[in-house]
Amino acid sequence: MDGNKFPAEIGPDDHGAATYSARQKTILVAGGAGFVGSHLCDALIGAGNHVICVDNLETGRESNVAHLFANPRFSFIRWDIIDPLPIDGPLDQIYNMACAASPPLYQKLPIHTFRTCIEGSYNLLELARQKRARILQSSTSEVYGDPEVSPQSEKYRGAVNTMGPRACYDEGKRAAETLFWEYGAHQGVETRVARIFNTYGPRMNPQDGRVVSNFVVQALTGDDITIYGDGLQTRSFAYVDDLVDGLMRLMASDCTQAVNLGNPGEFTMRELADMVLAQTGSKSRLVTRPLPVDDPRQRKPDIRLAQTLLGWSPTVPLEEGLTRTIAHFAAELAQKRSRKELV
Amino acid sequence: MDGNKFPAEIGPDDHGAATYSARQKTILVAGGAGFVGSHLCDALIGAGNHVICVDNLETGRESNVAHLFANPRFSFIRWDIIDPLPIDGPLDQIYNMACAASPPLYQKLPIHTFRTCIEGSYNLLELARQKRARILQSSTSEVYGDPEVSPQSEKYRGAVNTMGPRACYDEGKRAAETLFWEYGAHQGVETRVARIFNTYGPRMNPQDGRVVSNFVVQALTGDDITIYGDGLQTRSFAYVDDLVDGLMRLMASDCTQAVNLGNPGEFTMRELADMVLAQTGSKSRLVTRPLPVDDPRQRKPDIRLAQTLLGWSPTVPLEEGLTRTIAHFAAELAQKRSRKELV
């Protein structure tokens, strides 16, 4: 994302809604080498802050932040947050973006996923308490499980199966929200909780099995496009720049309750596939596979809280975000091909 | 409870349902000095086993197991399970009964409650893996939160608020179920999960704010009987001997899914108060107080799974269980009074 997009100082907007102030701060981003985390690092650096990026590079990629290494306001620590963090000096803010977030990746080491959510949050909350730093948790629409209501508002208590292959992530994230609530209510820590819905954009890991990167890579390489189940299950897709904007607004706000961040535009998997095929001009065929266990039928955020309290709404339509994402993956594939040709 | 109640060996019953075998085993009971845990220790010792009782005595009481200290098959370790357990020698079974279980007590140190549920379970599961021991988790009807359906079957996914004063326990217990599922599915550990509904009986802690002990003690001392809200919220009460029988049957079964253990008899708080007043002949008055946050309106277990898979049903009617419980508390109060008179 373009770091210049965020001016150095933004005050409350005309409607009095909270927006983010970007005075120079020292900000720790756990999971900062991941897909969303790296865009957040870009935006925070672009707004003039010092950023300490912490990542164990289990699913994050060094290449996502390599362009920041030369910046004197950026530092990188390879560290697993399930161990207490050795951070010297003051910290103003902490963003917890750490955790494998796609089912095939978070199910590879499920107990580690679970501990990253819970013990990782605990360690970061303790750090926030010691440093008197404000801390934001990247929670997830997965706390709603396979929802019986649509759209999902923050009041909805969810339908999560505690005993199944998705639970290591879903329950890990739910329990992490509880820890954040406790530290906010009883430990004097300023906590913020974002429930992030499906997000897409450049730097998605093509190996992580998310539907947008799957479809785009399959279309660009001419492979079959895989639809799970009947393909009529829906998702809502937010472009990563919109999400990062929402996260920074939430951090700057005084909102201590959980806030949905997502794009309420709802698309079936088949609609998404058609859009990708149309934009890439690909001849890939659609093939179907069985729906995984506990896969939610639909997901659609109710974002009235974010609109009211943060003055935030997503601004990038799916067509436009897809164009940017396809351009990124096309460039990445071209680079890989030219490397292979050189070898 | 009477340890002789459990014969030394029980095979599959006439209906082929699982029952518990009680060959001499070495069994660790975490939380063994608590209300339910101590009755479980009695039953396991009574059935000829060696029992290692582990308790940090935060809410458990030494007096609950003091009568077992002279038994060579019983040992006691004061230990907090949020630290890995130093247990030498073989173990056949582990029961995890550890955690403050009543709102006023578990909300005193909420982060410790949460860590007891999760890190405590993790430590016990690791111990089970090392010792190749079968392990049973005492989960809870609290995983259903404030349920929208009645009765609650094991398939119901619950309505738990992740961000509120009860969440340290509710989400802690939900996340613990997830850990048990993971260790069962991917770590080769034999796991059992009981979802325990309200239980009552002798040795309830009169300070823990549970409704049965509250009402009984208030009636016996002539204090006002406190009803929260309109008193029309319902609970189902299982007598502790029935519960212990269910836990041992579940441990002996091959059932790896979560199983409700509770008495489906449903009573309003007012009905319970009337029963206690009638049995004690007390002149206590009923007074009302506001309902606490997130207090569930009703709780009633669907126990068809336990009936089918374990051949288990509760056998002690509320009237009879109350009689035994009142006798216990009356004796305890008399003892306290005589001690005071002696001082």
Side-chain angles (χ1 to χ4, degrees):
Chain A
M1 94 184 296
D2 180 4
N4 297 326
K5 181 174 168 190
F6 296 95
E9 184 80 49
I10 304 180
D13 68 18
D14 291 345
H15 308 91
T19 54
Y20 50 88
S21 158
R23 275 181 297 275
Q24 209 177 53
K25 292 187 169 72
T26 301
I27 302 174
L28 186 146
V29 181
F35 159 49
V36 174
S38 67
H39 285 280
L40 179 62
C41 287
D42 281 346
L44 295 170
I45 287 282
N49 300 290
H50 290 259
V51 169
I52 302 169
C53 171
V54 174
D55 206 300
N56 67 353
L57 299 182
E58 186 191 292
T59 59
R61 293 181 295 174
E62 207 175 289
S63 61
N64 286 344
V65 288
H67 60 285
L68 294 172
F69 284 174
N71 192 312
R73 286 186 284 103
F74 182 82
S75 56
F76 178 82
I77 302 172
R78 186 166 179 173
W79 192 264
D80 192 320
I81 60 164
I82 74 168
D83 297 313
L85 289 89
I87 304 291
D88 293 328
L91 276 183
D92 299 297
Q93 298 179 347
I94 299 172
Y95 286 89
N96 181 17
M97 315 301 293
C99 192
S102 75
L105 293 187
Y106 73 61
Q107 288 173 16
K108 252 191 201 168
L109 292 169
I111 294 171
H112 188 262
T113 297
F114 180 87
R115 296 181 68 193
T116 300
C117 289
I118 296 175
E119 291 171 49
S121 291
Y122 177 75
N123 289 327
L124 291 172
L125 284 161
E126 278 295 310
L127 185 66
R129 195 170 59 77
Q130 288 156 23
K131 305 281 189 186
R132 298 177 182 276
R134 184 175 290 183
I135 181 166
L136 183 148
Q137 165 71 347
S138 63
S139 191
T140 164
S141 59
E142 298 288 335
V143 301
Y144 302 127
D146 187 2
E148 307 106 331
V149 299
S150 182
Q152 294 89 47
S153 89
E154 292 85 353
K155 290 214 172 93
Y156 178 54
R157 294 188 172 186
V160 165
N161 179 10
T162 58
M163 298 178 77
R166 297 177 77 101
C168 59
Y169 185 75
D170 298 5
E171 272 306 323
K173 286 287 192 178
R174 285 178 64 95
E177 287 192 358
T178 300
L179 262 186
F180 272 76
W181 188 86
E182 279 298 339
Y183 272 80
H186 300 129
Q187 301 288 318
V189 175
E190 293 189 350
T191 56
R192 307 288 181 267
V193 175
R195 291 183 179 156
I196 300 175
F197 285 66
N198 280 41
T199 305
Y200 70 102
R203 300 188 201 150
M204 295 183 85
N205 186 337
Q207 263 82 55
D208 77 357
R210 281 154 182 279
V211 62
V212 173
S213 44
N214 270 3
F215 283 7
V216 168
V217 172
Q218 288 163 340
L220 288 173
T221 54
D223 289 345
D224 291 346
I225 288 187
T226 324
I227 302 259
Y228 292 93
D230 58 14
L232 299 178
Q233 68 273 36
T234 67
R235 292 290 186 280
S236 301
F237 301 100
Y239 189 67
V240 64
D241 286 12
D242 278 334
L243 174 66
V244 166
D245 180 37
L247 291 170
M248 290 172 71
R249 285 174 186 257
L250 176 58
M251 179 64 102
S253 77
D254 56 5
C255 179
T256 58
Q257 58 193 303
V259 178
N260 288 340
L261 292 178
N263 190 325
E266 197 177 7
F267 299 87
T268 67
M269 298 302 97
R270 287 189 179 272
E271 287 168 337
L272 177 70
D274 289 343
M275 233 182 269
V276 170
L277 287 174
Q279 285 209 19
T280 55
S282 168
K283 297 277 180 282
S284 291
R285 292 176 321 144
L286 301 189
V287 297
T288 57
R289 296 257 183 84
L291 206 61
V293 175
D294 292 335
D295 198 60
R297 287 294 306 166
Q298 59 173 18
R299 277 290 169 67
K300 179 181 171 160
D302 178 336
I303 59 166
R304 284 175 293 177
L305 203 60
Q307 288 170 328
T308 310
L309 298 181
L310 313 178
W312 176 84
S313 284
T315 60
V316 183
L318 183 56
E319 292 77 4
E320 188 187 326
L322 270 185
T323 307
R324 296 191 213 171
T325 307
I326 289 167
H328 163 84
F329 278 106
E332 206 173 59
L333 285 169
Q335 216 174 20
K336 271 189 193 154
R337 280 191 195 116
S338 72
R339 269 198 224 113
K340 268 190 196 152
E341 279 161 18
L342 286 172
V343 173
Chain B
M1 97 183 293
D2 180 4
N4 296 326
K5 181 174 170 192
F6 296 93
E9 184 82 47
I10 304 180
D13 68 18
D14 291 344
H15 308 91
T19 55
Y20 51 87
S21 157
R23 275 181 297 274
Q24 207 177 54
K25 292 188 171 70
T26 300
I27 302 174
L28 187 146
V29 182
F35 159 50
V36 174
S38 66
H39 285 280
L40 178 62
C41 288
D42 281 345
L44 293 171
I45 287 282
N49 300 289
H50 289 258
V51 169
I52 302 169
C53 171
V54 174
D55 206 301
N56 67 353
L57 299 181
E58 186 192 291
T59 58
R61 294 181 295 174
E62 207 176 288
S63 61
N64 286 342
V65 287
H67 60 286
L68 294 172
F69 284 173
N71 191 314
R73 286 186 284 105
F74 181 82
S75 56
F76 178 81
I77 302 173
R78 185 166 180 174
W79 191 264
D80 192 322
I81 60 164
I82 74 169
D83 297 314
L85 289 91
I87 304 292
D88 293 328
L91 277 182
D92 299 297
Q93 297 179 347
I94 299 172
Y95 286 88
N96 181 17
M97 315 302 293
C99 192
S102 76
L105 293 187
Y106 72 61
Q107 288 173 15
K108 254 191 200 168
L109 292 169
I111 294 170
H112 187 261
T113 297
F114 181 87
R115 294 181 69 194
T116 301
C117 291
I118 296 175
E119 291 171 51
S121 292
Y122 177 76
N123 289 328
L124 290 172
L125 284 161
E126 278 295 310
L127 185 66
R129 195 170 59 77
Q130 288 156 24
K131 304 282 188 186
R132 299 175 182 276
R134 184 176 289 184
I135 181 167
L136 182 147
Q137 165 71 348
S138 63
S139 190
T140 164
S141 59
E142 298 287 334
V143 302
Y144 302 127
D146 187 3
E148 306 107 331
V149 299
S150 182
Q152 295 89 47
S153 89
E154 292 83 353
K155 289 212 173 94
Y156 177 55
R157 293 189 172 185
V160 165
N161 179 10
T162 57
M163 299 177 77
R166 297 177 78 99
C168 60
Y169 185 75
D170 298 5
E171 273 305 322
K173 285 289 192 178
R174 285 178 64 96
E177 287 193 358
T178 299
L179 262 186
F180 272 76
W181 188 86
E182 278 298 338
Y183 273 80
H186 300 129
Q187 302 288 318
V189 175
E190 293 188 350
T191 56
R192 305 289 181 266
V193 175
R195 291 184 179 153
I196 300 174
F197 284 66
N198 279 40
T199 305
Y200 70 101
R203 299 190 201 148
M204 295 182 85
N205 186 337
Q207 263 81 54
D208 77 358
R210 282 155 182 280
V211 62
V212 173
S213 44
N214 271 3
F215 284 6
V216 169
V217 172
Q218 287 163 341
L220 289 173
T221 54
D223 289 345
D224 291 345
I225 288 187
T226 323
I227 301 259
Y228 293 92
D230 58 14
L232 299 178
Q233 68 273 36
T234 67
R235 293 289 184 281
S236 301
F237 300 101
Y239 189 66
V240 65
D241 286 12
D242 278 334
L243 176 65
V244 166
D245 180 37
L247 291 171
M248 290 172 71
R249 284 173 187 260
L250 177 57
M251 178 65 102
S253 78
D254 56 6
C255 179
T256 58
Q257 59 193 303
V259 178
N260 288 340
L261 292 178
N263 191 325
E266 198 177 7
F267 300 88
T268 68
M269 299 302 95
R270 286 188 179 274
E271 287 169 338
L272 177 69
D274 289 343
M275 233 182 268
V276 170
L277 287 174
Q279 286 210 18
T280 54
S282 169
K283 297 276 179 284
S284 290
R285 293 176 321 144
L286 301 190
V287 296
T288 58
R289 297 258 184 84
L291 207 62
V293 175
D294 292 337
D295 198 62
R297 286 296 305 167
Q298 59 172 17
R299 278 290 169 67
K300 178 181 173 161
D302 178 335
I303 60 165
R304 284 175 293 177
L305 203 59
Q307 289 170 327
T308 310
L309 298 182
L310 313 179
W312 176 85
S313 285
T315 59
V316 182
L318 183 56
E319 293 76 3
E320 187 186 327
L322 269 184
T323 307
R324 296 192 213 169
T325 307
I326 289 167
H328 163 84
F329 278 107
E332 205 173 61
L333 284 169
Q335 216 174 19
K336 271 190 194 152
R337 280 190 196 117
S338 72
R339 269 198 224 113
K340 269 191 196 152
E341 280 161 18
L342 286 173
V343 173

Short mmCIF file of all heavy atoms in Angstrom, two decimals, chain B residues 224-251:
data_model
loop_
_atom_site.label_atom_id
_atom_site.label_comp_id
_atom_site.label_asym_id
_atom_site.label_seq_id
_atom_site.Cartn_x
_atom_site.Cartn_y
_atom_site.Cartn_z
N ASP B 224 -32.12 -13.81 55.60
CA ASP B 224 -32.95 -13.68 54.41
C ASP B 224 -32.41 -14.57 53.29
O ASP B 224 -31.19 -14.71 53.13
CB ASP B 224 -32.94 -12.22 53.91
CG ASP B 224 -33.66 -11.28 54.88
OD1 ASP B 224 -34.40 -11.79 55.76
OD2 ASP B 224 -33.47 -10.06 54.74
N ILE B 225 -33.34 -15.14 52.52
CA ILE B 225 -32.94 -15.95 51.35
C ILE B 225 -32.91 -15.03 50.13
O ILE B 225 -33.90 -14.37 49.81
CB ILE B 225 -33.91 -17.13 51.15
CG1 ILE B 225 -33.66 -18.15 52.28
CG2 ILE B 225 -33.76 -17.75 49.78
CD1 ILE B 225 -34.42 -19.45 52.12
N THR B 226 -31.73 -14.99 49.48
CA THR B 226 -31.54 -14.03 48.39
C THR B 226 -31.92 -14.65 47.05
O THR B 226 -31.35 -15.66 46.61
CB THR B 226 -30.05 -13.62 48.30
OG1 THR B 226 -29.53 -13.52 49.62
CG2 THR B 226 -29.92 -12.31 47.56
N ILE B 227 -32.88 -14.00 46.38
CA ILE B 227 -33.29 -14.40 45.03
C ILE B 227 -32.76 -13.34 44.07
O ILE B 227 -32.98 -12.14 44.30
CB ILE B 227 -34.84 -14.43 44.93
CG1 ILE B 227 -35.43 -15.40 45.95
CG2 ILE B 227 -35.30 -14.69 43.51
CD1 ILE B 227 -35.83 -16.74 45.42
N TYR B 228 -32.06 -13.75 43.02
CA TYR B 228 -31.58 -12.78 42.03
C TYR B 228 -32.59 -12.67 40.90
O TYR B 228 -33.10 -13.68 40.42
CB TYR B 228 -30.20 -13.18 41.51
CG TYR B 228 -29.15 -13.06 42.60
CD1 TYR B 228 -28.83 -14.15 43.40
CD2 TYR B 228 -28.54 -11.84 42.86
CE1 TYR B 228 -27.90 -14.04 44.43
CE2 TYR B 228 -27.61 -11.71 43.89
CZ TYR B 228 -27.30 -12.81 44.67
OH TYR B 228 -26.39 -12.68 45.68
N GLY B 229 -32.87 -11.43 40.50
CA GLY B 229 -33.87 -11.20 39.45
C GLY B 229 -35.24 -11.59 39.96
O GLY B 229 -35.53 -11.47 41.16
N ASP B 230 -36.10 -12.10 39.05
CA ASP B 230 -37.47 -12.44 39.46
C ASP B 230 -37.55 -13.84 40.08
O ASP B 230 -38.61 -14.26 40.55
CB ASP B 230 -38.44 -12.29 38.28
CG ASP B 230 -38.03 -13.16 37.10
OD1 ASP B 230 -37.17 -14.05 37.28
OD2 ASP B 230 -38.57 -12.94 36.00
N GLY B 231 -36.43 -14.56 40.05
CA GLY B 231 -36.42 -15.89 40.65
C GLY B 231 -37.10 -16.93 39.78
O GLY B 231 -37.27 -18.08 40.19
N LEU B 232 -37.47 -16.53 38.56
CA LEU B 232 -38.14 -17.49 37.67
C LEU B 232 -37.15 -18.16 36.72
O LEU B 232 -37.52 -19.01 35.93
CB LEU B 232 -39.27 -16.80 36.89
CG LEU B 232 -40.37 -16.20 37.79
CD1 LEU B 232 -41.43 -15.49 36.95
CD2 LEU B 232 -41.01 -17.30 38.65
N GLN B 233 -35.87 -17.71 36.78
CA GLN B 233 -34.84 -18.44 36.00
C GLN B 233 -34.74 -19.85 36.58
O GLN B 233 -34.94 -20.05 37.77
CB GLN B 233 -33.49 -17.70 36.02
CG GLN B 233 -32.77 -17.65 37.34
CD GLN B 233 -33.19 -16.46 38.20
OE1 GLN B 233 -34.36 -16.07 38.21
NE2 GLN B 233 -32.25 -15.91 38.95
N THR B 234 -34.45 -20.80 35.69
CA THR B 234 -34.43 -22.20 36.13
C THR B 234 -33.02 -22.77 36.11
O THR B 234 -32.15 -22.29 35.39
CB THR B 234 -35.30 -23.08 35.20
OG1 THR B 234 -34.70 -23.13 33.91
CG2 THR B 234 -36.72 -22.55 35.10
N ARG B 235 -32.83 -23.78 36.94
CA ARG B 235 -31.61 -24.57 36.91
C ARG B 235 -32.00 -26.03 37.11
O ARG B 235 -33.10 -26.33 37.60
CB ARG B 235 -30.65 -24.16 38.05
CG ARG B 235 -30.05 -22.78 37.93
CD ARG B 235 -29.03 -22.66 36.81
NE ARG B 235 -28.41 -21.35 36.79
CZ ARG B 235 -28.97 -20.25 36.29
NH1 ARG B 235 -30.17 -20.30 35.76
NH2 ARG B 235 -28.32 -19.11 36.32
N SER B 236 -31.09 -26.89 36.73
CA SER B 236 -31.27 -28.33 36.95
C SER B 236 -30.18 -28.76 37.91
O SER B 236 -29.03 -28.40 37.73
CB SER B 236 -31.13 -29.06 35.62
OG SER B 236 -32.10 -28.59 34.71
N PHE B 237 -30.54 -29.51 38.92
CA PHE B 237 -29.60 -29.82 39.99
C PHE B 237 -29.34 -31.32 40.07
O PHE B 237 -30.28 -32.10 40.28
CB PHE B 237 -30.16 -29.36 41.35
CG PHE B 237 -30.42 -27.88 41.39
CD1 PHE B 237 -31.71 -27.38 41.23
CD2 PHE B 237 -29.37 -26.99 41.58
CE1 PHE B 237 -31.95 -26.02 41.27
CE2 PHE B 237 -29.61 -25.63 41.62
CZ PHE B 237 -30.90 -25.13 41.46
N ALA B 238 -28.08 -31.69 39.93
CA ALA B 238 -27.72 -33.11 40.08
C ALA B 238 -27.06 -33.30 41.43
O ALA B 238 -26.23 -32.48 41.85
CB ALA B 238 -26.77 -33.54 38.97
N TYR B 239 -27.42 -34.39 42.08
CA TYR B 239 -26.77 -34.71 43.35
C TYR B 239 -25.37 -35.26 43.05
O TYR B 239 -25.17 -35.98 42.08
CB TYR B 239 -27.61 -35.73 44.13
CG TYR B 239 -27.09 -35.93 45.53
CD1 TYR B 239 -27.15 -34.89 46.45
CD2 TYR B 239 -26.51 -37.13 45.92
CE1 TYR B 239 -26.65 -35.05 47.74
CE2 TYR B 239 -26.02 -37.30 47.20
CZ TYR B 239 -26.08 -36.25 48.10
OH TYR B 239 -25.58 -36.41 49.37
N VAL B 240 -24.43 -34.89 43.91
CA VAL B 240 -23.01 -35.14 43.61
C VAL B 240 -22.70 -36.63 43.39
O VAL B 240 -21.87 -36.97 42.54
CB VAL B 240 -22.11 -34.50 44.69
CG1 VAL B 240 -22.31 -35.14 46.05
CG2 VAL B 240 -20.64 -34.52 44.27
N ASP B 241 -23.37 -37.53 44.10
CA ASP B 241 -23.10 -38.96 43.90
C ASP B 241 -23.46 -39.40 42.48
O ASP B 241 -22.76 -40.21 41.87
CB ASP B 241 -23.93 -39.81 44.88
CG ASP B 241 -23.38 -39.74 46.30
OD1 ASP B 241 -22.53 -38.88 46.57
OD2 ASP B 241 -23.83 -40.54 47.14
N ASP B 242 -24.57 -38.87 41.98
CA ASP B 242 -24.96 -39.18 40.59
C ASP B 242 -23.88 -38.69 39.62
O ASP B 242 -23.50 -39.39 38.68
CB ASP B 242 -26.29 -38.49 40.25
CG ASP B 242 -27.49 -39.28 40.76
OD1 ASP B 242 -27.38 -40.51 40.91
OD2 ASP B 242 -28.55 -38.65 40.99
N LEU B 243 -23.40 -37.48 39.86
CA LEU B 243 -22.40 -36.92 38.96
C LEU B 243 -21.12 -37.76 38.97
O LEU B 243 -20.57 -38.10 37.91
CB LEU B 243 -22.07 -35.48 39.36
CG LEU B 243 -20.94 -34.88 38.52
CD1 LEU B 243 -21.35 -34.73 37.07
CD2 LEU B 243 -20.48 -33.56 39.10
N VAL B 244 -20.65 -38.12 40.15
CA VAL B 244 -19.41 -38.91 40.27
C VAL B 244 -19.57 -40.24 39.53
O VAL B 244 -18.66 -40.69 38.81
CB VAL B 244 -19.04 -39.10 41.75
CG1 VAL B 244 -17.98 -40.18 41.91
CG2 VAL B 244 -18.54 -37.78 42.33
N ASP B 245 -20.72 -40.85 39.67
CA ASP B 245 -21.00 -42.09 38.95
C ASP B 245 -20.88 -41.85 37.43
O ASP B 245 -20.27 -42.63 36.71
CB ASP B 245 -22.41 -42.56 39.33
CG ASP B 245 -22.80 -43.85 38.62
OD1 ASP B 245 -21.93 -44.72 38.44
OD2 ASP B 245 -23.98 -43.97 38.26
N GLY B 246 -21.46 -40.75 36.96
CA GLY B 246 -21.40 -40.42 35.53
C GLY B 246 -19.97 -40.18 35.06
O GLY B 246 -19.58 -40.63 33.98
N LEU B 247 -19.20 -39.48 35.87
CA LEU B 247 -17.80 -39.20 35.49
C LEU B 247 -17.01 -40.49 35.35
O LEU B 247 -16.24 -40.67 34.39
CB LEU B 247 -17.14 -38.30 36.56
CG LEU B 247 -17.65 -36.86 36.65
CD1 LEU B 247 -17.07 -36.17 37.89
CD2 LEU B 247 -17.28 -36.08 35.39
N MET B 248 -17.21 -41.43 36.28
CA MET B 248 -16.45 -42.68 36.24
C MET B 248 -16.90 -43.55 35.08
O MET B 248 -16.09 -44.23 34.44
CB MET B 248 -16.57 -43.41 37.59
CG MET B 248 -15.80 -42.67 38.69
SD MET B 248 -16.09 -43.34 40.36
CE MET B 248 -15.22 -44.90 40.27
N ARG B 249 -18.18 -43.52 34.77
CA ARG B 249 -18.67 -44.26 33.60
C ARG B 249 -18.09 -43.67 32.31
O ARG B 249 -17.71 -44.40 31.39
CB ARG B 249 -20.19 -44.22 33.53
CG ARG B 249 -20.87 -45.15 34.51
CD ARG B 249 -22.38 -44.93 34.50
NE ARG B 249 -23.01 -45.70 35.55
CZ ARG B 249 -23.63 -46.86 35.36
NH1 ARG B 249 -23.74 -47.36 34.15
NH2 ARG B 249 -24.16 -47.52 36.37
N LEU B 250 -18.05 -42.35 32.25
CA LEU B 250 -17.51 -41.70 31.05
C LEU B 250 -16.02 -42.04 30.89
O LEU B 250 -15.56 -42.38 29.80
CB LEU B 250 -17.69 -40.18 31.14
CG LEU B 250 -17.10 -39.36 29.99
CD1 LEU B 250 -17.66 -39.80 28.64
CD2 LEU B 250 -17.35 -37.87 30.20
N MET B 251 -15.28 -41.98 31.98
CA MET B 251 -13.85 -42.31 31.93
C MET B 251 -13.65 -43.73 31.40
O MET B 251 -12.73 -43.99 30.61
CB MET B 251 -13.23 -42.15 33.32
CG MET B 251 -11.76 -42.50 33.40
SD MET B 251 -10.68 -41.40 32.43
CE MET B 251 -10.01 -40.35 33.72
#
